[in-house]
Amino acid sequence: MALKLRRLSHALGAEVCEIDVSMPMSEAFFGEIYRAFLQYGVLLFRDQDIGREQHIEFSRRFGELDRHDALPRDRHPRYSELLMVTNEPKPDGSPSDTKYTGRQWHSDMSFTTAPSLGSLLRCYAVPDVGGDTLFANMYLAYDALSDGMKALIAGLHGIHHSGTRKIANSESGVPRADEQRRLNPPVAQPVVRVHPETGRKALYIGEKVKRFDGMTEEESKPLIDFLVRHATRPEFVYRHQWKKNDILAWDNRCAMHQALGDFDETQLRHLERTTVLGTPSGYVVAGG
Ligand SMILES: O=C(O)CCC(=O)C(=O)O
């Protein structure tokens, strides 16, 4: 059976059509999916009305799964391979710890020395309107830089911090942010990463980067801001409008993403993510 693909945007993304990811799949067929994953950076699988075990099993085809020890509060209570992204209040009525997950441009687990290969996010519920996710193609962003800028950033390392911008101000945010900082000291990552499978160079930056190693925050900020603004220009971006039972798989080594908060927060938005472990990258920076 040949893979049926439909491109999602000029920048990145393709829908894999007429597929049930819970059905048995030959190595050869999964190989076609994985090649499309490498080529398009983001793959969409619609109408996947499957169980949590099946989400986990399909994700394992991409590689070994993270058990999310770096984010223990955000794990599903029964499946450590699943990370919750939900605004559903806790049973005691207090706000969800993961209400603001992803509300800044980032690549998953960049604040660890084993940043993720890819993630598979499954949608259970979305608000009537809004709550979309943006993805940026970091190969295109790198390729579009001038030779002078490529030379300037070639040896730089950005220092990535855990946590989400908005969480620090939220009711439930402080203990979670403290815990995340304790478990995850800042990690320096190359600003230009060579994708281990395609061999292409991609920008590896985002809003979790506070400064460059060897430079102050004040010195670093203008260049970080420029690179994030540059990488997220509309021509490098795909905007995903979620439907229930969508699964999106993305390659964290060449795409970054951001969850948008443009929706009525009284409505449920509930997604669950598996995270595929990547190859080691970066180094811990004492004192951040
Ligand atoms: O909620 C979303 O749309 C994206 C969540 C996210 O950023 C993540 O799982 O890393």
Side-chain angles (χ1 to χ4, degrees), residues 196-277:
E197 293 182 271
T198 66
R200 287 184 69 184
K201 285 184 179 170
L203 266 186
Y204 197 61
I205 191 87
E207 292 177 305
K208 289 184 188 288
V209 178
K210 298 284 179 288
R211 66 179 179 88
F212 299 115
D213 200 8
M215 290 169 65
T216 66
E217 281 194 30
E218 198 183 8
E219 290 166 341
S220 309
K221 192 170 181 324
L223 184 51
I224 295 169
D225 289 349
F226 165 75
L227 291 171
V228 172
R229 224 175 31 247
H230 164 80
T232 57
R233 277 161 39 183
E235 59 268 38
F236 303 145
V237 168
Y238 164 61
R239 178 173 181 143
H240 185 64
Q241 285 188 300
W242 290 97
K243 287 188 182 159
K244 184 176 175 187
N245 292 330
D246 279 355
I247 294 180
L248 268 192
W250 63 83
D251 186 335
N252 280 305
R253 303 161 297 182
C254 61
M256 67 173 179
H257 61 285
Q258 171 174 214
L260 298 179
D262 62 334
F263 62 95
D264 175 353
E265 296 215 9
T266 64
Q267 295 185 12
L268 181 65
R269 184 177 189 276
H270 183 110
L271 303 103
E272 296 179 13
R273 184 186 100 195
T274 53
T275 315
V276 184
L277 290 170

XYZ file of all heavy atoms in Angstrom, residues 196-277:
689
model
N 20.834 14.862 12.766
C 21.608 13.623 12.714
C 21.197 12.669 11.599
O 21.976 11.797 11.219
C 21.378 12.982 14.095
C 20.261 13.714 14.722
C 20.112 15.038 14.031
N 20.008 12.816 11.064
C 19.588 11.883 10.005
C 19.633 12.484 8.606
O 20.012 11.806 7.659
C 18.187 11.348 10.308
C 18.202 10.471 11.548
C 16.857 9.884 11.860
O 16.086 10.547 12.588
O 16.578 8.785 11.379
N 19.261 13.761 8.467
C 19.261 14.349 7.117
C 20.590 15.025 6.798
O 20.866 15.317 5.637
C 18.145 15.408 6.975
O 18.448 16.510 7.852
C 16.784 14.847 7.322
N 21.364 15.342 7.849
C 22.641 16.042 7.640
C 22.474 17.525 7.334
O 23.459 18.233 7.123
N 21.213 18.017 7.338
C 20.992 19.447 7.048
C 21.168 20.294 8.301
O 20.907 19.838 9.416
C 19.567 19.656 6.516
C 19.377 19.169 5.111
C 17.974 19.483 4.605
N 17.731 20.913 4.401
C 16.557 21.427 4.039
N 15.520 20.633 3.831
N 16.408 22.729 3.857
N 21.562 21.557 8.101
C 21.696 22.466 9.240
C 20.351 23.135 9.525
O 19.658 23.548 8.590
C 22.740 23.541 8.934
C 24.156 23.027 8.993
C 25.137 24.154 8.772
C 26.557 23.598 8.857
N 27.545 24.575 8.426
N 20.036 23.250 10.815
C 18.795 23.906 11.233
C 19.106 24.858 12.375
O 19.993 24.575 13.192
C 17.780 22.864 11.690
N 18.361 25.951 12.446
C 18.480 26.827 13.615
C 17.897 26.092 14.813
O 16.863 25.427 14.687
C 17.659 28.100 13.404
C 18.324 29.338 12.848
C 17.323 30.494 12.868
C 19.561 29.710 13.648
N 18.551 26.229 15.955
C 18.029 25.596 17.179
C 18.012 26.691 18.241
O 19.000 26.933 18.921
C 18.933 24.425 17.568
C 18.307 23.454 18.538
C 17.145 22.760 18.205
C 18.869 23.226 19.786
C 16.575 21.857 19.085
C 18.305 22.319 20.673
C 17.157 21.646 20.314
O 16.594 20.752 21.196
N 16.886 27.365 18.301
C 16.758 28.565 19.135
C 15.319 28.575 19.620
O 14.561 27.666 19.308
C 17.137 29.816 18.277
C 17.300 31.083 19.102
C 16.152 30.058 17.143
C 18.663 31.266 19.651
N 14.922 29.578 20.359
C 13.537 29.653 20.803
C 13.451 30.548 22.008
O 14.450 31.151 22.429
N 12.236 30.630 22.574
C 12.026 31.567 23.686
C 12.418 30.978 25.038
O 12.253 31.629 26.060
C 10.578 32.045 23.669
C 10.307 32.915 22.441
C 8.873 33.353 22.316
O 7.984 32.478 22.312
O 8.629 34.562 22.205
N 12.952 29.771 25.060
C 13.518 29.236 26.298
C 14.991 29.617 26.418
O 15.643 29.319 27.412
C 13.376 27.715 26.352
C 11.931 27.262 26.556
C 11.856 25.756 26.690
C 10.428 25.264 26.709
N 9.710 25.566 27.943
N 15.537 30.221 25.370
C 16.957 30.619 25.385
C 17.067 32.002 26.008
O 16.462 32.962 25.529
C 17.530 30.630 23.948
C 18.982 31.093 23.964
C 17.408 29.262 23.314
N 17.832 32.073 27.083
C 17.941 33.353 27.803
C 19.195 34.127 27.410
O 19.235 35.343 27.491
C 17.963 33.117 29.324
C 16.691 32.475 29.861
C 15.552 33.507 29.930
C 14.258 32.903 30.436
N 13.597 32.015 29.496
N 20.260 33.409 27.068
C 21.496 34.092 26.660
C 22.373 33.079 25.941
O 22.083 31.880 25.945
C 22.228 34.697 27.861
C 22.775 33.694 28.852
C 23.500 34.381 30.004
N 24.012 33.399 30.971
C 25.194 32.814 30.887
N 26.012 33.074 29.891
N 25.577 31.914 31.786
N 23.453 33.589 25.336
C 24.439 32.702 24.718
C 25.541 32.423 25.725
O 25.882 33.294 26.549
C 25.029 33.352 23.462
C 24.003 33.639 22.402
C 23.698 34.940 22.035
C 23.327 32.592 21.780
C 22.733 35.196 21.068
C 22.362 32.845 20.819
C 22.064 34.149 20.462
N 26.099 31.230 25.675
C 27.182 30.892 26.591
C 28.348 31.861 26.348
O 28.707 32.124 25.191
C 27.631 29.433 26.365
C 28.386 28.887 27.570
O 28.432 29.578 28.614
O 28.913 27.766 27.464
N 28.895 32.418 27.437
C 30.009 33.367 27.308
C 29.561 34.804 27.107
O 30.402 35.698 26.952
N 28.249 35.039 27.081
C 27.739 36.398 26.896
C 26.683 36.707 27.953
O 26.077 35.802 28.520
C 27.109 36.536 25.488
C 28.133 36.493 24.368
S 27.406 36.346 22.712
C 26.517 37.874 22.558
N 26.454 37.995 28.205
C 25.420 38.377 29.170
C 24.043 38.336 28.500
O 23.938 38.304 27.269
C 25.648 39.820 29.675
O 25.466 40.708 28.555
C 27.034 40.003 30.267
N 23.001 38.406 29.340
C 21.628 38.438 28.802
C 21.420 39.681 27.945
O 20.799 39.630 26.886
C 20.610 38.435 29.951
C 20.397 37.060 30.526
C 19.157 36.968 31.412
O 18.171 37.699 31.200
O 19.208 36.154 32.336
N 21.966 40.795 28.441
C 21.788 42.063 27.724
C 22.444 42.000 26.334
O 21.882 42.468 25.351
C 22.413 43.168 28.570
C 21.975 44.549 28.209
C 22.704 45.596 29.054
O 23.641 45.238 29.802
O 22.336 46.773 28.943
N 23.634 41.399 26.300
C 24.331 41.272 25.009
C 23.604 40.308 24.073
O 23.554 40.505 22.860
C 25.760 40.756 25.238
C 26.680 41.765 25.898
C 27.973 41.123 26.413
O 28.023 39.885 26.598
O 28.928 41.876 26.658
N 23.049 39.244 24.661
C 22.467 38.165 23.848
C 21.084 38.499 23.301
O 20.715 38.060 22.200
C 22.331 36.892 24.692
O 23.519 36.564 25.338
N 20.318 39.252 24.098
C 18.885 39.405 23.802
C 18.580 39.910 22.383
O 17.710 39.331 21.702
C 18.230 40.294 24.864
C 16.727 40.262 24.808
C 16.102 40.938 26.007
C 14.593 40.904 25.995
N 13.917 41.035 24.738
N 19.266 40.945 21.903
C 18.901 41.418 20.552
C 19.058 40.331 19.487
O 18.211 40.211 18.593
C 19.885 42.575 20.307
C 20.303 43.016 21.668
C 20.286 41.790 22.531
N 20.096 39.521 19.603
C 20.303 38.479 18.586
C 19.304 37.332 18.758
O 18.783 36.795 17.768
C 21.751 37.965 18.639
C 22.153 36.950 17.569
C 21.798 37.433 16.161
C 23.656 36.650 17.647
N 19.021 36.969 20.021
C 18.005 35.919 20.247
C 16.670 36.389 19.669
O 15.994 35.659 18.934
C 17.852 35.597 21.756
C 19.142 35.000 22.303
C 16.672 34.659 22.002
C 19.184 34.882 23.820
N 16.306 37.632 19.999
C 15.014 38.157 19.513
C 14.977 38.172 17.985
O 13.970 37.801 17.379
C 14.762 39.577 20.041
C 14.455 39.588 21.530
O 14.232 38.501 22.098
O 14.448 40.682 22.125
N 16.083 38.589 17.378
C 16.114 38.610 15.905
C 15.912 37.198 15.355
O 15.115 36.971 14.432
C 17.439 39.192 15.369
C 17.606 38.869 13.913
C 16.866 39.557 12.958
C 18.421 37.820 13.494
C 16.951 39.208 11.606
C 18.506 37.468 12.153
C 17.763 38.175 11.202
N 16.660 36.233 15.912
C 16.610 34.874 15.351
C 15.215 34.255 15.511
O 14.718 33.571 14.603
C 17.681 33.987 15.997
C 19.130 34.345 15.618
C 20.124 33.561 16.475
C 19.411 34.104 14.125
N 14.580 34.508 16.666
C 13.228 33.952 16.866
C 12.243 34.636 15.913
O 11.427 33.971 15.264
C 12.783 34.100 18.348
C 11.315 33.700 18.513
C 13.661 33.257 19.269
N 12.361 35.952 15.792
C 11.466 36.685 14.886
C 11.668 36.217 13.444
O 10.725 35.974 12.704
C 11.781 38.177 15.002
C 10.562 39.051 15.085
C 10.841 40.528 15.325
N 12.064 41.045 14.783
C 13.106 41.472 15.511
N 13.052 41.399 16.829
N 14.200 41.959 14.950
N 12.918 36.050 13.086
C 13.247 35.605 11.724
C 12.678 34.207 11.463
O 12.050 33.954 10.434
C 14.774 35.606 11.579
C 15.271 34.833 10.400
N 15.258 35.347 9.123
C 15.760 33.566 10.287
C 15.719 34.435 8.289
N 16.033 33.356 8.961
N 12.898 33.300 12.413
C 12.495 31.898 12.205
C 10.985 31.732 12.160
O 10.490 30.735 11.630
C 13.077 31.029 13.321
N 10.265 32.690 12.723
C 8.805 32.529 12.830
C 8.065 33.446 11.849
O 6.889 33.723 12.039
C 8.343 32.769 14.286
O 8.758 34.080 14.700
C 8.948 31.752 15.220
N 8.781 33.887 10.826
C 8.122 34.659 9.766
C 7.055 33.775 9.120
O 7.238 32.552 9.001
C 9.161 35.069 8.713
C 9.918 36.325 9.120
C 11.205 36.528 8.397
N 11.204 36.183 6.984
C 12.297 36.258 6.211
N 13.450 36.677 6.711
N 12.250 35.933 4.955
N 5.937 34.382 8.695
C 4.826 33.560 8.189
C 5.238 32.539 7.120
O 4.695 31.435 7.072
C 3.851 34.596 7.616
C 4.147 35.852 8.368
C 5.615 35.823 8.710
N 6.218 32.897 6.287
C 6.569 31.963 5.202
C 7.279 30.702 5.685
O 7.452 29.755 4.926
C 7.386 32.659 4.100
C 8.692 33.282 4.531
C 8.554 34.760 4.932
O 7.538 35.131 5.547
O 9.491 35.518 4.634
N 7.700 30.691 6.964
C 8.343 29.487 7.509
C 7.398 28.678 8.404
O 7.818 27.715 9.041
C 9.581 29.870 8.344
C 10.622 30.665 7.589
C 11.368 31.651 8.226
C 10.873 30.419 6.242
C 12.328 32.391 7.536
C 11.832 31.150 5.541
C 12.553 32.137 6.189
N 6.127 29.131 8.495
C 5.238 28.607 9.543
C 4.022 27.868 8.976
O 3.471 28.251 7.941
C 4.775 29.790 10.444
C 3.636 29.385 11.364
C 5.958 30.297 11.283
N 3.627 26.812 9.680
C 2.331 26.144 9.462
C 1.505 26.322 10.728
O 2.015 26.132 11.841
C 2.541 24.647 9.169
C 1.272 23.836 9.318
C 0.165 24.109 8.515
C 1.168 22.826 10.276
C -1.013 23.390 8.660
C 0.003 22.098 10.423
C -1.086 22.389 9.620
O -2.249 21.690 9.769
N 0.227 26.681 10.561
C -0.675 26.845 11.711
C -1.672 25.699 11.719
O -2.444 25.552 10.750
C -1.396 28.192 11.602
C -2.385 28.418 12.726
C -2.928 29.834 12.657
N -3.853 30.069 13.742
C -3.963 31.220 14.396
N -3.203 32.244 14.067
N -4.838 31.367 15.371
N -1.652 24.911 12.763
C -2.552 23.753 12.808
C -3.813 24.050 13.605
O -3.746 24.429 14.771
C -1.844 22.541 13.432
C -2.701 21.315 13.368
N -3.070 20.743 12.166
C -3.321 20.595 14.337
C -3.857 19.718 12.392
N -4.032 19.601 13.697
N -4.957 23.855 12.943
C -6.254 23.964 13.621
C -6.671 22.549 14.016
O -6.931 21.717 13.138
C -7.299 24.555 12.668
C -7.117 26.041 12.460
C -8.279 26.621 11.667
O -8.530 26.210 10.542
N -8.973 27.563 12.240
N -6.736 22.323 15.307
C -6.969 20.965 15.802
C -8.405 20.498 15.593
O -9.337 21.285 15.709
C -6.673 20.906 17.307
C -5.238 21.037 17.640
C -4.582 22.173 18.023
C -4.253 19.991 17.640
N -3.254 21.895 18.250
C -3.033 20.571 18.029
C -4.293 18.629 17.347
C -1.857 19.823 18.135
C -3.123 17.887 17.446
C -1.934 18.485 17.840
N -8.515 19.181 15.341
C -9.813 18.505 15.417
C -9.631 17.344 16.383
O -8.530 16.771 16.463
C -10.219 17.934 14.059
C -10.644 18.986 13.074
C -11.223 18.308 11.839
C -11.603 19.360 10.822
N -11.699 18.806 9.481
N -10.705 16.984 17.057
C -10.662 15.831 17.957
C -10.118 14.615 17.190
O -10.469 14.420 16.015
C -12.078 15.547 18.467
C -12.126 14.448 19.474
C -13.513 14.274 20.028
C -13.495 13.060 20.938
N -14.784 12.665 21.412
N -9.262 13.849 17.838
C -8.662 12.629 17.269
C -7.580 12.890 16.217
O -7.189 11.968 15.502
C -9.712 11.654 16.716
C -10.535 11.061 17.835
O -10.027 10.909 18.952
N -11.780 10.738 17.569
N -7.114 14.119 16.132
C -5.895 14.369 15.349
C -4.701 13.845 16.142
O -4.657 13.977 17.378
C -5.626 15.883 15.207
C -6.453 16.544 14.121
O -7.167 15.826 13.402
O -6.366 17.783 14.013
N -3.738 13.294 15.424
C -2.397 13.097 16.003
C -1.436 13.872 15.114
O -1.447 13.708 13.888
C -1.984 11.618 16.049
C -2.887 10.837 17.010
C -0.520 11.483 16.485
C -2.544 9.350 17.112
N -0.627 14.705 15.733
C 0.430 15.406 14.991
C 1.761 14.856 15.470
O 2.010 14.789 16.677
C 0.419 16.901 15.299
C -0.366 17.870 14.436
C 0.032 19.288 14.789
C -0.195 17.636 12.946
N 2.598 14.465 14.520
C 3.959 14.018 14.846
C 4.908 15.066 14.277
O 4.766 15.442 13.114
C 4.237 12.669 14.197
N 5.832 15.561 15.092
C 6.769 16.550 14.555
C 8.202 16.212 14.939
O 8.453 15.540 15.947
C 6.413 17.971 14.984
C 6.466 18.263 16.443
C 7.564 18.593 17.183
C 5.362 18.280 17.356
N 7.215 18.809 18.494
C 5.860 18.634 18.627
C 3.980 18.033 17.218
C 5.047 18.737 19.754
C 3.180 18.136 18.350
C 3.714 18.488 19.578
N 9.110 16.709 14.099
C 10.538 16.462 14.273
C 11.126 17.654 15.030
O 11.240 18.757 14.468
C 11.181 16.299 12.882
C 12.647 15.901 12.945
O 13.302 16.190 13.964
O 13.151 15.329 11.958
N 11.466 17.429 16.303
C 11.959 18.530 17.137
C 13.335 19.033 16.730
O 13.798 20.053 17.232
C 12.012 18.088 18.605
C 10.649 18.140 19.267
O 9.999 19.170 19.267
N 10.212 17.008 19.817
N 14.017 18.309 15.837
C 15.367 18.692 15.453
C 15.378 19.713 14.326
O 16.403 20.330 14.053
C 16.159 17.439 15.058
C 16.173 16.421 16.201
C 16.515 15.036 15.714
N 15.532 14.504 14.777
C 15.593 13.303 14.235
N 16.603 12.506 14.532
N 14.664 12.885 13.390
N 14.226 19.885 13.675
C 14.183 20.850 12.560
C 12.901 21.677 12.565
O 12.640 22.408 11.617
C 14.333 20.138 11.225
S 13.025 18.951 10.930
N 12.105 21.548 13.632
C 10.885 22.362 13.728
C 10.743 22.828 15.168
O 11.044 22.078 16.092
C 9.662 21.537 13.338
N 10.316 24.078 15.361
C 9.896 24.459 16.713
C 8.418 24.827 16.656
O 7.835 24.987 15.569
C 10.774 25.553 17.307
C 10.734 26.893 16.691
S 11.714 28.063 17.726
C 11.496 29.536 16.741
N 7.798 24.931 17.819
C 6.354 25.123 17.848
C 5.929 25.978 19.031
O 6.697 26.187 19.972
C 5.626 23.775 17.875
C 5.949 22.926 19.071
N 7.139 22.243 19.208
C 5.255 22.664 20.204
C 7.149 21.583 20.353
N 6.026 21.825 20.977
N 4.697 26.440 18.946
C 4.118 27.241 20.020
C 2.613 26.991 20.081
O 1.936 27.013 19.042
C 4.372 28.731 19.754
C 3.622 29.615 20.712
C 3.940 31.093 20.606
O 3.921 31.781 21.614
N 4.218 31.593 19.425
N 2.095 26.793 21.303
C 0.641 26.663 21.487
C 0.064 28.070 21.679
O 0.626 28.866 22.435
C 0.354 25.818 22.726
N -1.045 28.352 20.999
C -1.650 29.683 21.116
C -2.739 29.682 22.199
O -3.491 28.715 22.322
C -2.250 30.104 19.773
C -1.244 30.238 18.622
C -1.957 30.649 17.336
C -0.150 31.245 18.964
N -2.797 30.798 22.914
C -3.796 30.903 23.993
C -5.008 31.710 23.560
O -5.683 32.304 24.407
N -5.310 31.709 22.262
C -6.388 32.559 21.736
C -7.725 31.827 21.775
O -8.362 31.607 20.751
C -6.055 32.983 20.301
C -5.943 31.792 19.362
O -5.629 30.683 19.856
O -6.197 31.943 18.151
N -8.140 31.413 22.969
C -9.430 30.712 23.054
C -10.087 30.971 24.406
O -9.464 31.491 25.327
C -9.251 29.208 22.803
C -8.365 28.513 23.810
C -8.910 27.867 24.911
C -6.994 28.509 23.669
C -8.111 27.212 25.830
C -6.176 27.867 24.591
C -6.736 27.221 25.668
N -11.348 30.601 24.471
C -12.137 30.774 25.686
C -11.680 29.718 26.707
O -11.942 28.526 26.534
C -13.621 30.579 25.301
C -14.541 30.614 26.495
O -14.047 30.650 27.645
O -15.775 30.588 26.272
N -11.037 30.182 27.758
C -10.422 29.234 28.691
C -11.433 28.507 29.569
O -11.064 27.621 30.334
C -9.346 29.942 29.528
C -8.203 30.425 28.647
C -6.836 30.359 29.299
O -6.711 29.775 30.386
O -5.890 30.903 28.702
N -12.719 28.855 29.437
C -13.723 28.060 30.163
C -14.038 26.779 29.374
O -14.705 25.886 29.874
C -15.035 28.848 30.382
O -15.633 29.125 29.111
C -14.784 30.145 31.148
N -13.571 26.723 28.115
C -13.805 25.513 27.319
C -12.608 24.569 27.435
O -11.464 25.020 27.575
C -14.033 25.886 25.855
C -15.295 26.703 25.652
C -15.580 26.957 24.183
O -14.991 26.360 23.291
N -16.508 27.863 23.936
N -12.906 23.275 27.355
C -11.855 22.271 27.540
C -10.911 22.205 26.336
O -11.358 22.159 25.186
C -12.501 20.900 27.770
C -11.539 19.730 28.000
C -10.756 19.925 29.303
C -12.312 18.398 28.049
N -9.612 22.211 26.627
C -8.592 21.894 25.603
C -7.725 20.807 26.221
O -7.047 21.044 27.233
C -7.775 23.131 25.257
C -6.759 22.895 24.129
C -6.032 24.193 23.785
N -5.215 24.081 22.584
C -3.963 23.601 22.548
N -3.397 23.184 23.668
N -3.295 23.536 21.416
N -7.754 19.627 25.644
C -7.065 18.485 26.254
C -6.323 17.694 25.184
O -6.932 17.164 24.249
C -8.075 17.579 26.970
C -7.441 16.417 27.678
N -7.381 16.313 29.051
C -6.816 15.319 27.201
C -6.745 15.193 29.376
N -6.394 14.567 28.265
N -4.998 17.655 25.333
C -4.160 16.877 24.415
C -3.188 16.045 25.249
O -2.942 16.358 26.420
C -3.382 17.801 23.466
C -4.231 18.750 22.617
C -4.199 20.159 23.167
C -3.796 18.762 21.166
N -2.671 14.997 24.655
C -1.677 14.167 25.352
C -0.545 13.863 24.380
O -0.790 13.587 23.201
C -2.322 12.877 25.865
C -3.381 13.184 26.919
C -4.091 11.949 27.466
O -3.611 10.818 27.215
O -5.129 12.118 28.137
N 0.676 13.896 24.926
C 1.856 13.819 24.051
C 2.778 12.680 24.449
O 3.037 12.483 25.639
C 2.623 15.145 24.183
C 3.816 15.256 23.277
C 4.603 16.534 23.574
N 5.751 16.250 24.403
C 6.463 17.183 25.057
N 6.112 18.455 25.007
N 7.507 16.835 25.764
N 3.274 11.970 23.464
C 4.422 11.100 23.690
C 5.646 11.846 23.172
O 5.543 12.669 22.263
C 4.299 9.765 22.935
O 4.046 10.052 21.562
C 3.200 8.890 23.503
N 6.797 11.533 23.755
C 8.025 12.238 23.392
C 9.082 11.195 23.062
O 9.408 10.355 23.912
C 8.504 13.105 24.583
O 7.379 13.808 25.132
C 9.569 14.095 24.168
N 9.602 11.242 21.850
C 10.601 10.260 21.416
C 11.984 10.795 21.784
O 12.303 11.960 21.491
C 10.505 10.016 19.892
C 11.472 8.920 19.463
C 9.077 9.684 19.484
N 12.774 9.940 22.431
C 14.098 10.375 22.874
C 15.012 10.629 21.683
O 14.989 9.892 20.693
C 14.737 9.296 23.757
C 14.101 9.091 25.133
C 14.667 7.834 25.794
C 14.335 10.304 26.012
